[in-house]
Amino acid sequence: MNQLFPAPDHLPAWAALRSLSEHPLDLSALGVLTPERLKAYICRGGEFNLLYATQRIDEQTLAQFQQLADQSGVIKQFLQMKKGAVMNQISNFASENRQVLHTASRDLFRPDPDHPEAAAQARQECDKLQAFLADLDSGRLTNANGEPFTDLINVGIGGSDLGPRAIYLALRAFGIGQRRVHFIANVDPDDAATILHDLDLRHTLVNVVSKSGTTLETMTNEELLRAAYQRAGLDAGRHFLAVTGAGSPMDDPKRYLRTFHMFDYIGGRYSSTSMVGGVLLGFALGHENFREFLRGAQHIDQAAEETNIRQNLPLLLALLGIWNRNFLNCATLAILPYSQALIRFVAHLQQCDMESNGKSINRQGETVNYQTGPIVWGEPGTNGQHAFYQLLHQGTTIVPAEFIGFRQNQYGEDLRVENSTSQEKLLANLLAQVLALATGKQDTNPNRSFPGNRPSSLLMAERLTPRTMGELLAIYENKIAFQGFIWNINSFDQEGVQLGKKLAGTLLNHMVSQPEAKSAAEADDAPRMLLRAAGIMPG
Amino acid sequence: MNQLFPAPDHLPAWAALRSLSEHPLDLSALGVLTPERLKAYICRGGEFNLLYATQRIDEQTLAQFQQLADQSGVIKQFLQMKKGAVMNQISNFASENRQVLHTASRDLFRPDPDHPEAAAQARQECDKLQAFLADLDSGRLTNANGEPFTDLINVGIGGSDLGPRAIYLALRAFGIGQRRVHFIANVDPDDAATILHDLDLRHTLVNVVSKSGTTLETMTNEELLRAAYQRAGLDAGRHFLAVTGAGSPMDDPKRYLRTFHMFDYIGGRYSSTSMVGGVLLGFALGHENFREFLRGAQHIDQAAEETNIRQNLPLLLALLGIWNRNFLNCATLAILPYSQALIRFVAHLQQCDMESNGKSINRQGETVNYQTGPIVWGEPGTNGQHAFYQLLHQGTTIVPAEFIGFRQNQYGEDLRVENSTSQEKLLANLLAQVLALATGKQDTNPNRSFPGNRPSSLLMAERLTPRTMGELLAIYENKIAFQGFIWNINSFDQEGVQLGKKLAGTLLNHMVSQPEAKSAAEADDAPRMLLRAAGIMPG
């Protein structure tokens, strides 16, 4: 097992990279950004090009990236994952012990999928979805008055919210008719109240998403919505859909109009291409657009099997991230899409990356001696330029950046103002940031000097479509998995959220139970004291 | 001048804190979180309590915080700022050389404001706003068909977008009638297209916000909207409002229904309490709610004059931040509001903090030898718990957190599910996170162990209202200014955004100009080459 999962800091390539990192390339030095470098440091993946000439690397670094990938067996692990190996585990200790098969959820387009059984299950759910959407489109499925459903509320949190929400917002330009999707995630009752104030429930479906069928926030919000439907005199059974694991407490056809299944071999944060994303994306964009989205993701999954790191976009992105994190010691990563449609995509990646790789224990249960997942954050440009870019250019902390851009906009509505279109202005600003971070600029006024030498990459495609959205999602999903393989951590569990859940239960018991006579020690324990200090309980 | 603006790392308190930081308090040690500590480490500010027992500090640290505040003259600088000193400057070098008087924009409630002239200007604009809102409410001001305006599009970016947007979203529960506000910020033409697809322009006002009247994104989007009004056969002069500096290119009453002024002594990111926030908040919430919001901010501005750090909430928050940043070496700060209404407040704080304090040059023009502003990020809880909290609890990087909570929700709509309300569940989760981060938990399974000792604070108030929103905003604005004073940096300029703007201009010229015969060197410069590598220009 340790042969298969080596400790990265014991690999020869790790030591070689450590040595190279003592004198990394200075991007601000004259003559570094040559035409040759800019042309050579491009990696193609699907319809995307990754431009990485503005990273602090050279041929030597790239050669060691290749060594690190080979020595850690990252592609071997990826292939095993896709074929159904139990990758979600910690050896010698109790762990989830599950397969990791989110790639199967989009492996629907080949005669020989990597994992036939999981792909068959995915196809079956897709067929159910297609039939459901056809019933909606044809008018066979309507509300009690025979009217069509125009709105859908998605009730889910974390992986059942962030990815689907980000993708829906990214692809609204491809929506069919006037269908709209709304999201309730937070247990904060104001989240549901805000949505309900704006909606006509008679024309609204509710899609409840929880693999376990027991997620506190989701169950609570479902009850809240069922009560609202009851108050409105509507039969929830005609409006509520379920996406849940087979056999979960939610898997009860009597309570739902339709039920779609998700499987324990797909983690929540990797579930956007399963029915977790499928139901709401199918409703909003139509079945064909959802399939195009899956096709894009599947294409990247296949391309990511390439062992040459310079021809494997997600793997190269993963290695550049490890270089910046472990060797140039940068604790954060800014992801900066120059597309307003990607307004929530970074929030999804923040989840997918930080929940996967925010770990300190390796797959043998030992504490790691190196940094793992960075803090991922960001907002769309150009907005961010007017917000936090000051720190990116002149702050005391170096923030590596991953820019994302598209040569065309989505709607094709644009206007020439002062001799250029908005899209041209957007692109000019995007490339200007890549250059400014890298080259900097000296000035006799120290406050107007830019040190430069701040690394970034640029992911470029022609246009954000269902296809490229699927590709972009899979690029990042695979990047994150590759990093986890190299760091030798389990990217597929989330034990770190358990303590908070448990303590919340304890606190809730204190809050709702009648005050009882307790021993002095018990009455003064930290949870009770904190409740008092916060003014939530008297005393 | 250097007497007034000392270098923090030369102060005795800095050395003392350095020494204390070698053995900071271990929050996970048994018996640390005593009832006494939890009760004693609470600081009141307005309607908020700051609970800071879960920071890695003790009485000695607090004593040195007081010394640092005294020795750096932070309160003296704050008083000078409010009275109109030229705080936005770098000595010996060209700089903006401006006063910093955002506090005057809400100093409307006392007979003797700190800066009478600026307060009078603020009052004058508020009076104009009140008259405008009264005209809307009474029906004196309507569209060409005599119908009321139901919607307003705010066109602005950075400071003219993030703060007002965050506050609008935070206070929708207090809206009057059905008035809605929409936002166009990004030069990405899809931003405007998405908004326009959903709106009836006949009932829509447009509020164009730019201090200089020359902001690229805003001018472009204004033209785009004016073209849309023209296509719809509407007279833009009856729909467009302006918020701009007196004498700017936008200050042209013929083109706007009403014009409101902003002043060069208020930086964009500090302008939410000026007409930049005023027009859209007044439209959505009514004049009285906007004044309540200002009252909240003003109350905190006054309370923040207190020199005892244990009775000055924003100052204590600033010092805790410096402790975590400069002495415990944490590069980021997570701000985690347990209120869905604060969904965009962290994006605003990210701007306000990082643009203010992401600096490497002190106020004498010298490069600093210490860290300045951290990377600020975060999302509302409980959503974040299902996203990135894994890393907060078990990642290799320590992330100090500032939690924000309210004992009551906004709408008062709630439901008891499994014996507790949603609001109770929300609060239990909030406090559970504070505890879990601090105490951790040992387990024989290393993957289920929590190291703990991860610092956080908790800001609690009764309910998020216009008043407490104003307080919360001013708490953070003043915290950020206090940190800048102590770090001896200019928190009020943003020279770091200039290089990107300049290079964007160069790139735009390349993109829109006809191909010309150039010397080989010129044709191969980095901007042109990058345009080609990105597939934007042929070659």
Side-chain angles (χ1 to χ4, degrees):
Chain A
M1 187 59 92
N2 288 17
Q3 219 86 30
L4 179 62
F5 297 162
D9 54 337
H10 293 166
L11 297 175
W14 196 266
L17 286 167
R18 176 74 60 221
S19 159
L20 289 173
S21 71
E22 286 166 20
H23 304 285
L25 182 78
D26 182 350
L27 295 166
S28 69
L30 259 179
V32 164
L33 290 185
T34 60
E36 293 70 33
R37 181 179 169 95
L38 284 162
K39 270 188 231 169
Y41 286 2
I42 298 180
C43 174
R44 181 133 193 117
E47 297 185 20
F48 282 89
N49 274 332
L50 175 70
L51 284 70
Y52 60 99
T54 44
Q55 292 283 356
R56 301 189 62 189
I57 51 132
D58 57 19
E59 290 296 313
Q60 282 187 295
T61 338
L62 287 166
Q64 290 305 324
F65 284 1
Q66 184 69 58
Q67 290 298 314
L68 181 60
D70 294 346
Q71 290 165 11
S72 57
V74 58
I75 295 299
K76 264 185 232 148
Q77 294 184 53
F78 182 59
L79 293 173
Q80 291 197 311
M81 180 191 93
K82 294 209 289 182
K83 287 184 185 302
V86 177
M87 301 300 277
N88 177 358
Q89 67 145 356
I90 306 279
S91 30
N92 312 319
F93 293 98
S95 62
E96 293 192 323
N97 276 316
R98 289 179 183 167
Q99 297 167 294
V100 177
L101 283 170
H102 50 276
T103 49
S105 67
R106 53 242 190 180
D107 200 356
L108 310 176
F109 310 99
R110 304 185 298 169
D112 297 307
D114 286 323
H115 194 281
E117 196 187 331
Q121 289 186 305
R123 193 172 294 112
Q124 193 179 348
E125 296 305 314
C126 268
D127 290 346
K128 277 161 62 180
L129 175 64
Q130 186 169 19
F132 167 65
L133 295 173
D135 285 351
L136 285 180
D137 292 346
S138 67
R140 281 191 296 275
L141 200 59
T142 63
N143 71 7
N145 295 332
E147 298 157 335
F149 293 107
T150 55
D151 292 78
L152 180 148
I153 303 174
N154 194 70
V155 182
I157 194 164
S160 301
D161 170 56
L162 288 166
R165 190 196 298 237
I167 296 156
Y168 165 71
L169 292 174
L171 298 177
R172 267 184 301 178
F174 299 86
I176 51 172
Q178 293 300 310
R179 288 189 187 159
R180 296 183 309 163
V181 180
H182 317 266
F183 297 85
I184 300 177
N186 206 321
V187 74
D188 179 352
D190 289 335
D191 196 8
T194 308
I195 301 290
L196 289 177
H197 282 202
D198 284 343
L199 277 181
D200 181 350
L201 295 185
R202 288 173 303 175
H203 303 117
T204 303
L205 293 165
V206 175
N207 186 41
V208 186
V209 187
S210 169
K211 185 157 63 179
S212 67
T214 62
T215 312
L216 169 86
E217 287 88 343
T218 304
M219 298 305 99
T220 302
N221 280 319
E222 177 178 5
E223 286 310 305
L224 213 138
L225 283 175
R226 284 187 182 267
Y229 272 78
Q230 195 167 26
R231 280 198 305 275
L234 297 168
D235 172 12
R238 284 192 82 119
H239 292 258
F240 279 53
L241 312 167
V243 181
T244 191
S248 94
M250 261 175 68
D251 191 16
D252 177 1
K254 289 194 297 294
R255 304 184 68 224
Y256 300 96
L257 179 62
R258 299 284 166 99
T259 298
F260 302 91
H261 282 150
M262 52 203 293
F263 305 98
D264 74 355
Y265 50 70
I266 301 185
R269 57 192 174 273
Y270 295 96
S271 68
S272 296
T273 51
S274 76
M275 284 304 108
V276 172
V279 174
L280 73 91
L281 293 174
F283 175 79
L285 312 174
H287 190 253
E288 242 334 289
N289 275 328
F290 178 61
R291 282 179 69 87
E292 264 303 287
F293 165 69
L294 297 186
R295 264 191 212 101
Q298 205 283 320
H299 179 75
I300 292 292
D301 290 343
Q302 252 179 289
E305 295 180 2
E306 168 64 46
T307 53
N308 181 338
I309 62 143
R310 295 176 75 154
Q311 293 167 23
N312 184 333
L313 197 161
L315 179 54
L316 185 53
L317 205 55
L319 289 158
L320 290 165
I322 286 175
W323 175 247
N324 288 325
R325 177 70 164 140
N326 296 98
F327 300 96
L328 303 186
N329 304 314
C330 299
T332 83
L333 168 67
I335 299 180
L336 306 168
Y338 273 60
S339 162
Q340 190 61 22
L342 292 175
I343 175 82
R344 293 300 289 167
F345 186 55
V346 181
H348 170 58
L349 294 182
Q350 185 174 66
Q351 168 198 229
C352 195
D353 198 321
M354 294 173 69
E355 192 162 63
S356 294
N357 291 339
K359 309 279 167 73
S360 302
I361 300 295
N362 69 17
R363 286 178 288 185
Q364 290 82 44
E366 302 151 347
T367 300
V368 300
N369 298 314
Y370 43 85
Q371 298 292 330
T372 59
I375 289 132
V376 174
W377 62 283
E379 291 281 337
T382 58
N383 292 8
Q385 291 177 205
H386 295 259
F388 51 80
Y389 279 38
Q390 164 68 41
L391 185 146
L392 301 190
H393 287 288
Q394 292 188 323
T396 53
T397 297
I398 306 291
V399 179
E402 288 174 8
F403 292 95
I404 302 170
F406 301 93
R407 286 181 285 274
Q408 293 181 40
N409 59 328
Q410 287 186 313
Y411 284 98
E413 295 167 16
D414 205 338
L415 191 72
R416 194 165 289 276
V417 175
E418 290 183 9
N419 202 29
S420 62
T421 63
S422 289
Q423 182 65 20
E424 286 168 338
K425 292 183 182 79
L426 180 69
L427 289 169
N429 273 278
L430 165 58
L431 298 198
Q433 294 300 326
V434 171
L435 278 182
L437 287 169
T439 61
K441 178 175 127 336
Q442 293 309 307
D443 194 294
T444 50
N445 184 332
N447 202 36
R448 293 176 183 167
S449 269
F450 295 81
N453 200 23
R454 299 183 175 216
S456 70
S457 298
L458 171 58
L459 267 171
M460 281 295 301
E462 190 63 22
R463 185 161 171 254
L464 183 59
T465 61
R467 169 90 189 195
T468 51
M469 185 66 241
E471 292 185 356
L472 188 62
L473 180 75
I475 285 172
Y476 274 97
E477 285 184 0
N478 292 330
K479 172 204 170 182
I480 292 162
F482 287 148
Q483 290 190 330
F485 293 151
I486 294 173
W487 281 323
N488 184 28
I489 56 179
N490 180 0
S491 301
F492 308 108
D493 67 357
Q494 55 281 322
E495 296 288 351
V497 306
Q498 297 303 330
L499 177 57
K501 272 193 206 174
K502 191 165 160 278
L503 281 172
T506 307
L507 282 152
L508 206 49
N509 279 337
H510 290 331
M511 287 163 72
V512 300
S513 66
Q514 298 302 317
E516 295 159 31
K518 297 275 176 192
S519 72
E522 223 177 333
D524 282 350
D525 65 1
R528 277 193 186 78
M529 274 313 305
L530 188 55
L531 280 163
R532 290 190 198 119
I536 295 167
M537 272 171 61
Chain B
M1 185 62 90
N2 288 18
Q3 219 85 34
L4 179 58
F5 295 162
D9 54 338
H10 294 168
L11 297 175
W14 197 267
L17 286 168
R18 176 73 58 219
S19 160
L20 290 173
S21 70
E22 287 166 21
H23 304 286
L25 181 77
D26 182 350
L27 295 166
S28 69
L30 260 181
V32 164
L33 290 186
T34 60
E36 293 69 30
R37 181 179 168 95
L38 283 162
K39 271 188 229 168
Y41 287 0
I42 298 179
C43 174
R44 182 134 193 115
E47 297 184 20
F48 282 89
N49 275 333
L50 175 71
L51 283 71
Y52 59 99
T54 44
Q55 291 283 354
R56 300 188 61 190
I57 52 134
D58 56 19
E59 289 296 314
Q60 283 187 295
T61 337
L62 287 167
Q64 290 305 324
F65 283 1
Q66 184 69 59
Q67 290 298 313
L68 181 60
D70 294 345
Q71 291 166 11
S72 57
V74 58
I75 295 300
K76 265 186 229 148
Q77 294 183 52
F78 182 60
L79 293 173
Q80 290 196 312
M81 181 191 91
K82 294 209 289 180
K83 287 183 183 303
V86 177
M87 302 298 277
N88 176 358
Q89 67 145 359
I90 307 280
S91 30
N92 312 318
F93 293 97
S95 63
E96 292 193 322
N97 276 314
R98 289 178 183 166
Q99 297 167 296
V100 177
L101 283 169
H102 51 276
T103 48
S105 67
R106 54 243 192 180
D107 200 355
L108 310 176
F109 310 100
R110 304 185 296 169
D112 296 307
D114 287 322
H115 193 281
E117 197 187 330
Q121 289 186 305
R123 192 171 294 112
Q124 194 179 345
E125 296 305 315
C126 269
D127 290 346
K128 276 159 64 180
L129 176 65
Q130 185 168 20
F132 166 66
L133 296 172
D135 285 350
L136 286 179
D137 293 347
S138 67
R140 282 190 297 274
L141 201 58
T142 64
N143 71 5
N145 296 332
E147 297 157 338
F149 294 106
T150 56
D151 292 78
L152 180 146
I153 304 174
N154 194 70
V155 181
I157 193 164
S160 301
D161 170 56
L162 289 166
R165 191 194 299 236
I167 297 156
Y168 166 71
L169 293 173
L171 297 177
R172 268 185 300 180
F174 299 86
I176 50 172
Q178 292 301 312
R179 287 188 188 162
R180 297 184 308 163
V181 180
H182 316 268
F183 298 85
I184 300 177
N186 205 322
V187 75
D188 179 352
D190 289 336
D191 195 8
T194 309
I195 300 291
L196 288 176
H197 282 201
D198 284 343
L199 276 182
D200 181 351
L201 296 186
R202 289 173 302 177
H203 303 118
T204 303
L205 292 167
V206 176
N207 185 40
V208 186
V209 188
S210 169
K211 185 157 62 176
S212 67
T214 63
T215 312
L216 170 87
E217 286 87 345
T218 304
M219 297 304 100
T220 303
N221 280 319
E222 178 178 3
E223 286 311 305
L224 214 140
L225 283 175
R226 283 186 183 267
Y229 273 78
Q230 196 167 24
R231 280 197 305 277
L234 298 168
D235 172 12
R238 284 191 81 121
H239 292 258
F240 279 54
L241 312 167
V243 182
T244 191
S248 95
M250 262 176 67
D251 190 16
D252 176 2
K254 290 193 297 294
R255 304 184 68 225
Y256 299 97
L257 179 63
R258 299 285 166 97
T259 298
F260 301 92
H261 283 149
M262 50 202 294
F263 305 97
D264 73 356
Y265 51 69
I266 300 184
R269 57 192 174 272
Y270 295 96
S271 67
S272 297
T273 50
S274 76
M275 284 304 108
V276 172
V279 174
L280 74 90
L281 293 173
F283 175 78
L285 312 175
H287 191 253
E288 241 334 287
N289 275 329
F290 178 61
R291 282 179 68 89
E292 264 305 286
F293 166 68
L294 297 186
R295 263 190 214 101
Q298 205 282 321
H299 178 75
I300 293 292
D301 290 342
Q302 252 178 288
E305 296 180 3
E306 169 64 46
T307 53
N308 181 339
I309 63 145
R310 296 177 76 154
Q311 293 167 23
N312 183 334
L313 197 161
L315 179 54
L316 184 54
L317 205 55
L319 289 158
L320 290 164
I322 286 175
W323 174 248
N324 287 326
R325 176 69 164 141
N326 296 97
F327 300 96
L328 303 186
N329 304 313
C330 299
T332 83
L333 167 67
I335 300 180
L336 307 168
Y338 273 60
S339 160
Q340 191 61 20
L342 291 176
I343 175 80
R344 293 300 288 167
F345 187 55
V346 180
H348 170 58
L349 294 181
Q350 187 175 62
Q351 168 198 230
C352 197
D353 199 320
M354 293 173 71
E355 192 162 64
S356 295
N357 291 339
K359 308 280 166 74
S360 301
I361 300 296
N362 69 18
R363 287 180 286 186
Q364 291 82 45
E366 302 151 346
T367 301
V368 300
N369 298 315
Y370 42 86
Q371 299 291 332
T372 58
I375 289 134
V376 173
W377 61 283
E379 292 280 338
T382 58
N383 292 7
Q385 289 177 205
H386 294 258
F388 51 80
Y389 279 39
Q390 164 68 40
L391 186 146
L392 301 190
H393 288 286
Q394 291 188 322
T396 53
T397 297
I398 306 291
V399 178
E402 288 173 10
F403 292 95
I404 302 170
F406 301 93
R407 286 181 286 274
Q408 292 181 39
N409 61 329
Q410 286 187 314
Y411 285 96
E413 295 166 17
D414 205 338
L415 192 71
R416 194 165 288 277
V417 175
E418 289 182 11
N419 203 28
S420 62
T421 64
S422 290
Q423 182 65 20
E424 285 168 340
K425 293 182 182 80
L426 180 69
L427 289 169
N429 274 278
L430 165 59
L431 298 198
Q433 294 300 327
V434 171
L435 277 182
L437 287 169
T439 60
K441 178 176 127 331
Q442 293 308 308
D443 195 292
T444 50
N445 184 332
N447 202 34
R448 293 176 184 167
S449 268
F450 296 81
N453 199 23
R454 300 184 174 214
S456 70
S457 299
L458 171 58
L459 267 170
M460 283 294 300
E462 190 63 23
R463 184 162 173 254
L464 183 59
T465 61
R467 167 90 188 196
T468 51
M469 185 67 241
E471 291 185 354
L472 189 61
L473 179 75
I475 284 171
Y476 274 97
E477 285 184 359
N478 293 329
K479 171 204 173 184
I480 292 163
F482 287 148
Q483 290 190 330
F485 293 151
I486 294 172
W487 281 324
N488 185 29
I489 56 178
N490 179 0
S491 301
F492 308 107
D493 67 359
Q494 54 281 324
E495 296 288 350
V497 306
Q498 297 303 329
L499 177 58
K501 271 193 204 173
K502 190 163 160 279
L503 281 173
T506 306
L507 283 152
L508 205 50
N509 278 336
H510 290 332
M511 288 164 71
V512 300
S513 65
Q514 297 303 316
E516 294 161 32
K518 296 276 178 194
S519 72
E522 225 179 330
D524 281 352
D525 65 0
R528 276 193 187 78
M529 277 311 307
L530 188 55
L531 281 163
R532 289 191 198 117
I536 295 167
M537 271 171 62

